Amino acid sequence: MPSAGHVVIYSAPGRINLIGEHTDYNAGFALPIALPERTTVAYRPDDSTALVVRSDREDEPVRIALDTVPGDVDGWAAYVAGVVWALREAGHRVPGGAMAVSGGVETGSGLASSAALGCAVLGAILSATGTELDRVGQARIAQRAENTYVGAPTGLLDQLAILFAQRRRAQLIDFRDLTVDSVPFDPGAAGVALLLIDSRAAHRHAGGEYADRRASCERAAAALGVPSLRDLPGPQALTALTNSVDARRARHVLSENQRVLDAAAALGAADFAAVGQLLTASQQSMRDDFQITTDHIDLIAETAVHAGALGARMTGGGFGGCVIALVQASRVGAVGDAVRASMRRCGRREPTIAVTHAGRGAGD
Ligand code: GLA
């Protein structure tokens, strides 16, 4: 354990889910990468009974008692307090001290900034106390903080993506047995760019829509007598469902699982044209079956494809946030210009558009 006064630095990236949306809580598959942007925590443990947290994005520090319980702290610091609570609940030691957070991950864009904060805080505390905990165990604690302390009923995608990420690779996650296989993801080497288009229409999922989609999937699985939608033999099983909305939601989950596996295989062959088509098919399924996109997001994705992108889709929980597009390097300018022009034409905010790549996972 570091001596008193020693500062532990730990950071965690945001994530882009390349494909596999709303599959995590259905024991399915997803294929995320880490963003190069990271949230960094500087932690100076001491003998006090509270953690005092400052963020470079907030004016006031927040004091979190080590014996905090859900309901004590809200706002951004709830993600920190939630980790303190979940660690102690799991029997781990958490020293008090001072913590400074500098956030490099855009918030409200569906890039898992809250999971980045949670995983960075968790890593800093584990590292300060010399506690060994495998990455799946860490992901579960960070998820519990978000589910039970913050009250957002999210799955394990963000935490596993952040903890397992590797440079120039995507992670194929199987949420049934919580295993992670990495596949190459280096579009730049094939003359292709990954564009991240932030609509700047904030998304939120502590609210009703996310929980509503989750409930639909659970109802569909229960009606078909299986523990999760993953256990169905194929889409033909869905014809037995009498609730047509639930059937569409379930159809997205099943078709999306297959697209994830197809995308991982295509990445293995560096076939970005095939991956692009899968992204576009995923966008259509999220639009028509799962109904988590917005007109604004659909327009960005469709404009990118019309302007020559190999494929485009919304990434993240939905109802706003970011679109990703795979684009031949020579078409990056044209696709960006077309998207900006279409946003101007319909009076939307100017999106931020940048070429990005797969960065490393959480660490010091
Ligand atoms: C959010 C949640 C994840 C996952 C995605 C949708 O990012 O935090 O657990 O469900 O939405 O794929």
Side-chain angles (χ1 to χ4, degrees):
M1 166 167 179
S3 54
H6 181 91
V7 176
V8 175
I9 309 281
Y10 208 87
S11 68
R15 63 100 189 89
I16 288 176
N17 193 18
L18 293 176
I19 194 162
E21 224 63 83
H22 288 260
T23 49
D24 60 348
Y25 55 79
N26 287 302
F29 298 101
L31 190 62
I33 60 169
L35 281 171
E37 287 78 17
R38 307 174 74 80
T39 293
T40 303
V41 163
Y43 172 40
R44 186 191 294 274
D46 61 26
D47 297 331
S48 62
T49 56
L51 202 57
V52 177
V53 208
R54 290 166 203 279
S55 160
D56 62 353
R57 291 175 173 176
E58 306 291 331
D59 295 333
E60 299 296 328
V62 178
R63 182 179 181 282
I64 299 166
L66 295 181
D67 59 0
T68 184
V69 289
D72 280 353
V73 178
D74 56 16
W76 69 274
Y79 292 92
V80 181
V83 167
V84 170
W85 170 79
L87 270 171
R88 285 172 50 109
E89 281 270 308
H92 299 294
R93 194 168 73 79
V94 180
M99 204 175 253
V101 177
S102 43
V105 183
E106 198 59 49
T107 56
S109 291
L111 299 174
S113 59
S114 40
L117 173 59
C119 290
V121 168
L122 180 66
I125 295 172
L126 293 177
S127 149
T129 55
T131 306
E132 300 282 340
L133 187 59
D134 66 29
R135 287 176 288 181
V136 171
Q138 292 184 41
R140 286 186 193 280
I141 288 196
Q143 183 201 24
R144 183 137 196 258
E146 193 160 326
N147 288 175
T148 309
Y149 197 103
V150 179
T154 50
L156 268 172
L157 166 68
D158 303 343
Q159 295 80 8
L160 290 175
I162 288 167
L163 291 161
F164 280 88
Q166 300 172 56
R167 276 196 188 92
R168 288 190 286 279
R169 299 190 75 84
Q171 311 306 318
L172 172 60
I173 305 175
D174 179 340
F175 292 96
R176 180 150 69 184
D177 53 13
L178 297 183
T179 51
V180 184
D181 271 331
S182 88
V183 296
F185 182 75
D186 192 6
V192 173
L194 176 65
L195 270 193
L196 181 61
I197 306 170
D198 188 343
S199 68
R200 298 169 75 211
H203 92 124
R204 236 171 261 102
H205 53 67
E209 296 284 6
Y210 186 97
D212 171 77
R213 295 307 182 279
R214 212 176 156 143
S216 241
C217 295
E218 281 161 11
R219 250 192 331 263
L224 295 169
V226 286
S228 77
L229 293 176
R230 171 78 177 278
D231 300 304
L232 293 175
Q236 67 288 349
L238 301 177
T239 52
L241 285 173
T242 51
N243 181 327
S244 62
V245 172
D246 290 353
R248 279 164 83 178
R249 306 292 186 248
R251 185 166 65 177
H252 162 76
V253 172
L254 265 53
S255 66
E256 186 80 344
N257 279 337
Q258 189 56 50
R259 282 186 291 271
V260 172
L261 296 177
D262 293 347
L267 282 181
D271 184 350
F272 287 97
V275 179
Q277 284 171 8
L278 291 160
L279 297 190
T280 301
S282 168
Q283 164 68 21
Q284 286 160 358
S285 176
M286 292 190 295
R287 183 192 64 198
D288 300 337
D289 279 350
F290 218 62
Q291 297 181 301
I292 51 169
T293 65
T294 61
D295 291 350
H296 185 176
I297 287 290
D298 294 342
L299 180 61
I300 293 177
E302 281 155 26
T303 306
V305 172
H306 283 141
L310 300 171
R313 67 182 286 276
M314 182 190 74
T315 184
F319 308 99
C322 290
V323 169
I324 54 169
L326 281 170
V327 185
Q328 293 289 355
S330 59
R331 300 287 304 164
V332 165
V335 169
D337 288 349
V339 170
R340 271 186 287 267
S342 77
M343 293 298 102
R344 265 196 304 276
R345 269 198 303 278
C346 61
R348 302 281 190 183
R349 286 177 82 178
E350 171 109 343
T352 50
I353 305 182
V355 174
T356 191
H357 60 268
R360 69 183 173 97
D364 45 18

